[in-house]
Amino acid sequence: MVKLLLIADDFTGALDTGIQFAEYGAATKMLTSSEIEDDLWKNDRIEVLVVDAETRHLSGDDAYRRVYYLVRKAVEAGVPHIYKKTDSALRGNIGSELRAVLEASGEHFLPFIPALPAMNRITEGGVHYIDGVPIHESAFGRDPFEPVKSPYVRDLFAKEDIPVKLFHKSDNYRTDFSRGTIGIFDAQTQEDICRIAEHLKQKCQLRCMAGCAGFASVLPSYLEISRREMSFPKLNQPLLIACGSVNPITRRQIEYGESLGYTRVVMTPEQQLEENYLITEDGQKWLAGFEEYFKRSNVVMIDTGISNPGAVEGYRKRHCIPLEEARVRIADRIGIILRELLEQNSHRTLMIIGGDTLMSFVSQANCREIEPVCEVEPGTVLSSMRIDGKQIWVITKSGGFGKEELLQMVAQKVEA
């Protein structure tokens, strides 16, 4: 039966957190829909159920309702542990979603550990940092779609009528409350996170929790989850990388890959935003050209013009396309491209960068369930999907994750 329900707000977040349990050996299943069949809760082959609730771009009220519904279903089904996965860069509807968890569960205390030390994302004095810089001064503060405006974690709850308590690093946390309270924990190292988990275990306060992949990574040993050895499967096939992120971290990774000789296919603004482009004669010729690209290189990267976002922005404004609609169009376009390229040749490993892009592909491929397998690198996940009766290997990551040479590291493992 399900021992842990993990609720994420986007697809890559669901995978990079769910994989913490799959790699430990837990029987882990991920759903691409928030609709859960009642008999799934009692399934003996599932210990950890991961749900991509797709609340990142909803209104706060809609995100609250969706998370509340999922938590109530889990409580009624007798699931002993619930984890609300949050974005490690503090994006999304974190305040309303954590309030939903607390109110739907009826718990008196909800610990929230936003830090991800393995990726240099830490919380100190209630301020969230990435690579030593307050989060709002980093690339996430300049995101064109959802910029982070404040580094203070407490500010996430400014509009929520709920008590919030900040916990500085300590050996003696006081976490007994008589009414529903959210506790924000400082953490700068993995040892800090383990100390928090140990305290919560002793206090029997691991019923409902919140955080990113950082806190999730230590939980399997505290939740009586099954353990078995996992290994990286043999892939040895061409790698098709689709980048739907505009994050500077991803731009550097793409440019580094190009410097190694990987084929980089830069999509024009028309290819990204023009309606029905792919069914035109030019669009069909463009798609057919990928077979030639793979004759030249075992790694082909589809790039949405990350090094020149002004071209896409200029096209969007000239054609009066709203910013949010442009985001959706670009993600949908890449999803369609990947589906069609798989129909041409399914013997390829896909790497998809960006949660919106991944969700679009899964929707286009009509894939409802995913089996996370292992991490290729921290924050970069290998999963198995069944599409049209065929097994497809898919590697995923958020746009803001990874070293400059990440794509090379992934390619080397795929080709091994």
Side-chain angles (χ1 to χ4, degrees), residues 109-115 123 165-169 173 175 183-187 196 199-200:
F109 182 61
L110 176 64
F112 175 34
I113 302 88
T123 312
K165 168 71 174 176
L166 175 62
F167 291 94
H168 298 288
K169 189 159 62 173
Y173 296 109
T175 56
I184 301 168
F185 285 80
D186 279 353
I196 294 166
H199 166 83
L200 296 173

Side-chain angles (χ1 to χ4, degrees), residues 154-411:
R154 182 185 288 273
D155 287 352
L156 297 170
F157 306 95
K159 297 179 181 179
E160 311 300 328
D161 183 19
I162 199 162
V164 177
K165 168 71 174 176
L166 175 62
F167 291 94
H168 298 288
K169 189 159 62 173
S170 171
D171 291 320
N172 185 27
Y173 296 109
R174 296 187 177 184
T175 56
D176 292 318
F177 294 90
S178 58
R179 59 170 293 197
T181 299
I182 293 173
I184 301 168
F185 285 80
D186 279 353
Q188 293 93 56
T189 67
Q190 198 70 1
E191 289 73 22
D192 294 340
I193 287 178
C194 289
R195 186 183 303 111
I196 294 166
E198 186 64 40
H199 166 83
L200 296 173
K201 174 73 172 180
Q202 292 177 3
K203 298 290 289 185
C204 298
Q205 291 178 324
L206 291 175
R207 171 83 173 106
C208 291
M209 306 152 280
C212 60
F215 190 55
S217 69
V218 308
L219 284 179
S221 60
Y222 290 94
L223 301 184
E224 300 177 358
I225 297 290
S226 300
R227 182 161 201 170
R228 55 192 168 92
E229 292 299 319
M230 306 297 292
S231 60
F232 194 87
K234 188 172 181 62
L235 304 183
N236 193 23
Q237 54 190 28
L239 178 63
L240 174 60
I241 301 171
C243 172
S245 170
V246 295
N247 194 291
I249 293 172
T250 296
R251 185 188 70 232
R252 290 192 290 271
Q253 292 165 350
I254 293 288
E255 291 172 348
Y256 185 82
E258 186 177 31
S259 74
L260 297 174
Y262 300 164
T263 298
R264 182 181 185 181
V265 182
V266 181
M267 296 178 66
T268 66
E270 291 79 8
Q271 289 169 338
Q272 296 179 60
L273 292 170
E274 186 180 303
E275 296 275 23
N276 302 318
Y277 171 82
L278 293 176
I279 63 174
T280 66
E281 184 177 352
D282 285 345
Q284 289 296 299
K285 286 181 179 178
W286 183 75
L287 284 172
F290 276 84
E291 290 301 326
E292 292 300 316
Y293 296 139
F294 275 108
K295 290 178 182 177
R296 285 185 254 156
S297 173
N298 255 0
V299 182
V300 175
M301 306 180 296
I302 302 174
D303 171 17
T304 52
I306 195 169
S307 57
N308 185 21
V312 176
E313 180 65 4
Y315 183 95
R316 181 187 73 80
K317 289 181 177 178
R318 288 194 302 274
H319 291 80
C320 302
I321 303 172
L323 186 61
E324 179 64 15
E325 183 180 337
R327 180 185 67 80
V328 173
R329 278 197 201 183
I330 293 170
D332 285 350
R333 183 61 46 80
I334 299 176
I336 295 170
I337 290 167
L338 293 177
R339 183 198 67 200
E340 298 215 6
L341 291 179
L342 276 182
E343 289 175 357
Q344 291 178 15
N345 186 341
S346 62
H347 189 64
R348 289 172 179 148
T349 297
L350 299 185
M351 181 173 184
I352 302 176
I353 301 174
D356 293 341
T357 308
L358 178 58
M359 190 63 206
S360 174
F361 167 70
V362 168
S363 176
Q364 295 290 341
N366 195 28
C367 177
R368 282 184 47 81
E369 297 183 3
I370 299 170
E371 299 283 349
V373 176
C374 62
E375 276 191 309
V376 184
E377 293 292 331
T380 304
V381 178
L382 173 68
S383 301
S384 172
M385 299 184 188
R386 298 293 297 182
I387 298 174
D388 295 332
K390 300 172 184 175
Q391 182 187 47
I392 304 296
W393 295 108
V394 181
I395 298 169
T396 56
K397 84 169 190 78
S398 167
F401 276 3
K403 303 174 183 177
E404 182 181 69
E405 61 272 23
L406 175 68
L407 302 187
Q408 180 188 29
M409 298 160 73
V410 170

Side-chain angles (χ1 to χ4, degrees), residues 22-39:
E23 278 202 315
Y24 189 82
T28 305
K29 184 177 289 292
M30 178 179 162
L31 303 182
T32 62
S33 167
S34 56
E35 294 298 322
I36 304 174
E37 297 176 3
D38 289 339
D39 59 353

